[in-house]
Amino acid sequence: MNRFEQHRDVIGLARSTMPPRCDGEPLFREPWHARIFAVMVALVKGHKLEWIEFQERLAKDLKEHQSADVKLTSEDVDLQYFDCWLRAAEETLATSGFVDEREVAHQIEAIKASIDEIRQSQIAHNH
């Protein structure tokens, strides 16, 4: 099985376990939302992680980032939720030994540098 087929199978697993949204909107607004969900579901189903570990981290992160006095759009709420979801997943994966926090930080910095290069290139191109 090649890498694409493995990825497709994990996404299929995520789709088969996702609860439907009542408003007809897609459950995941961004592809990375579905991918990280699929990774977590696969690890839980494979008995590599305990779902409760992740749930506790997510609940804590959501509580820390909730603000009653800020009015958010539904899209902002979704994005805030998935930011918390990603942090909880990252912490769970790191503490379980699936990812190295230094490598994650390195990848984040590499992505930020790429974004900065693209922006600078666009600015230079537009002037």
Side-chain angles (χ1 to χ4, degrees):
M1 181 180 304
N2 67 32
R3 289 176 69 184
F4 173 76
E5 290 166 334
Q6 289 174 333
H7 178 74
R8 186 181 59 214
D9 290 345
V10 172
I11 293 296
L13 174 63
R15 286 188 179 136
S16 72
T17 59
M18 290 187 306
R21 285 182 67 131
C22 60
D23 60 5
E25 290 287 319
L27 182 61
F28 301 115
R29 293 196 186 274
E30 301 293 335
W32 71 264
H33 296 169
R35 287 193 293 271
I36 189 63
F37 180 78
V39 167
M40 297 301 286
V41 168
L43 290 170
V44 168
K45 283 195 168 200
H47 305 286
K48 306 288 185 194
L49 285 178
E50 292 294 324
W51 191 249
I52 191 72
E53 274 183 74
F54 167 73
Q55 285 178 313
E56 289 170 351
R57 282 188 176 93
L58 177 58
K60 179 180 175 241
D61 206 66
L62 286 169
K63 187 176 181 179
E64 288 174 3
H65 291 90
Q66 226 172 17
S67 178
D69 27 316
V70 176
K71 302 292 184 221
L72 300 173
T73 67
S74 61
E75 186 171 337
D76 290 337
V77 170
D78 279 357
L79 292 173
Q80 184 181 48
Y81 173 80
F82 275 107
D83 285 346
C84 291
W85 213 97
L86 179 61
R87 278 189 296 273
E90 183 182 328
E91 286 176 20
T92 302
L93 293 170
T95 59
S96 299
F98 287 102
V99 296
D100 181 314
E101 289 180 273
R102 291 170 299 190
E103 180 59 26
V104 171
H106 174 73
Q107 291 297 323
I108 289 170
E109 290 307 313
I111 291 168
K112 286 178 181 178
S114 294
I115 291 169
D116 288 343
E117 286 177 27
I118 291 168
R119 286 182 179 150
Q120 292 303 319
S121 173
Q122 289 174 340
I123 290 170
H125 180 71
N126 290 333
H127 285 27

